[in-house]
């Protein structure tokens, strides 16, 4: 169905609404926690202590316009991520011998993203609100660590690469590109996983190395 008529607006609208609402709810928890985790980083040490305290207070008690702006920014950022991933995957899939159109690549990525960017946030939101910890909440390999320290490098790596909803979405990408672009399962899996890994590594570099 995605290959014939992708109806891109449906997953894009759903994901934008879900992520915007999700960011509205979690930003007063996520932003202060992010500042706390980065206190010992070289970047934060360059900022005067009074400025850091002011930033923390603003993150803890954001105004309604600030909170709305962060929520909308989070929704649009996910949209941009999805489009960039679709462009990268569409290009690399064609290099691997696939035949298809870029709008089909957009459709595959958008519909597959409903799992990690739609279902995932809806299921983890109650846990985040209950525990009052954004980075400490994981439905994936990071939750298996005995200490569960969100500031440790191992936790960050498992948090970014070990989410079960993300794996589910990647599996759907492999199926989608195999069916729509006519690739073998091995070629589709290799290309999708490699591009996804590079994209996530690039996007998560600040979290992994600056915090």
């Amino acid at each position: 169905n995605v290959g014939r008529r992708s109806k891109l607006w449906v997953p894009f609208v759903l994901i934008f609404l879900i992520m915007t609402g999700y960011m509205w709810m979690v930003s007063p928890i996520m932003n202060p926690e992010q500042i706390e985790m980065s206190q010992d980083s070289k970047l934060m040490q360059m900022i005067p202590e009074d400025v850091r305290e002011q930033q923390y207070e603003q993150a803890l008690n954001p105004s309604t316009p600030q909170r709305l702006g962060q929520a909308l920014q989070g929704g649009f950022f996910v949209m941009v991520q999805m489009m960039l991933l679709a462009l990268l995957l569409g290009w690399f899939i064609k290099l691997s011998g696939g035949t298809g159109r870029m709008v089909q690549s957009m459709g595959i990525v958008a519909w597959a993203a409903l799992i990690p960017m739609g279902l995932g946030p809806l299921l983890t939101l109650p846990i985040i609100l209950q525990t009052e910890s954004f980075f400490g909440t994981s439905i994936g390999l990071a939750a298996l660590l005995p200490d569960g320290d969100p500031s440790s490098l191992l936790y960050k790596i498992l948090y970014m690469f070990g989410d079960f909803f993300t794996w589910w979405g990647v599996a759907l990408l492999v199926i989608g590109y195999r069916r729509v672009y006519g690739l073998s399962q091995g070629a589709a899996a290799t290309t999708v996983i490699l591009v996804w890994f590079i994209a996530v590594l690039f996007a998560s570099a600040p979290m992994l190395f600056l915090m």
Side-chain angles (χ1 to χ4, degrees):
N1 290 335
V2 169
R4 291 191 296 268
R5 187 191 304 175
S6 61
K7 292 185 179 179
L8 280 172
W9 66 272
V10 176
F12 269 97
V13 169
L14 285 174
I15 291 174
F16 177 78
L17 292 176
I18 290 172
M19 289 304 301
T20 300
Y22 176 76
M23 292 303 297
W24 169 271
M25 297 295 294
V26 304
S27 59
I29 298 173
M30 178 185 70
N31 294 334
E33 188 175 15
Q34 189 173 25
I35 293 175
E36 290 175 356
M37 291 171 58
S38 61
Q39 285 295 326
D40 297 330
S41 66
K42 294 181 179 180
L43 182 63
M44 288 297 291
Q45 292 298 322
M46 296 171 60
I47 302 175
E49 185 176 354
D50 57 335
V51 176
R52 279 184 283 167
E53 292 178 355
Q54 184 179 6
Q55 290 176 343
Y56 183 80
E57 186 63 29
Q58 290 177 348
L60 196 61
N61 300 294
S63 64
T64 300
Q66 288 176 331
R67 194 171 175 181
L68 179 60
Q70 290 176 351
L72 292 173
Q73 184 180 7
F76 280 115
F77 182 67
V78 170
M79 298 297 100
V80 173
Q81 282 184 317
M82 288 167 54
M83 288 186 286
L84 289 176
L85 181 60
L87 291 172
L88 282 173
L89 281 172
W91 186 64
F92 276 100
I93 288 290
K94 283 195 172 184
L95 290 179
S96 300
T99 56
R101 294 175 290 118
M102 193 56 66
V103 66
Q104 292 174 313
S105 180
M106 289 282 184
I108 295 169
V109 170
W111 283 105
L114 280 174
I115 301 301
M117 298 299 180
L119 181 61
L122 289 177
L123 293 180
T124 56
L125 179 59
I127 305 174
I128 294 172
L129 297 179
Q130 178 66 30
T131 61
E132 296 186 347
S133 175
F134 178 83
F135 294 101
T137 300
S138 171
I139 302 183
L141 296 180
L144 302 178
L145 292 178
D147 56 351
D149 181 10
S151 62
S152 69
L153 182 59
L154 178 58
Y155 183 94
K156 294 175 186 177
I157 293 173
L158 295 180
Y159 183 88
M160 297 303 302
F161 294 98
D163 181 75
F164 296 150
F165 289 105
T166 301
W167 290 358
W168 188 356
V170 170
L172 291 177
L173 288 176
V174 173
I175 295 171
Y177 281 106
R178 179 177 64 86
R179 293 293 300 273
V180 176
Y181 276 69
L183 285 178
S184 66
Q185 185 168 337
T190 301
T191 306
V192 168
I193 292 173
L194 180 61
V195 173
W196 167 77
F197 180 83
I198 294 174
V200 174
L201 183 63
F202 180 79
S204 61
M207 177 180 174
L208 291 174
F209 302 110
L210 296 181
M211 291 174 53

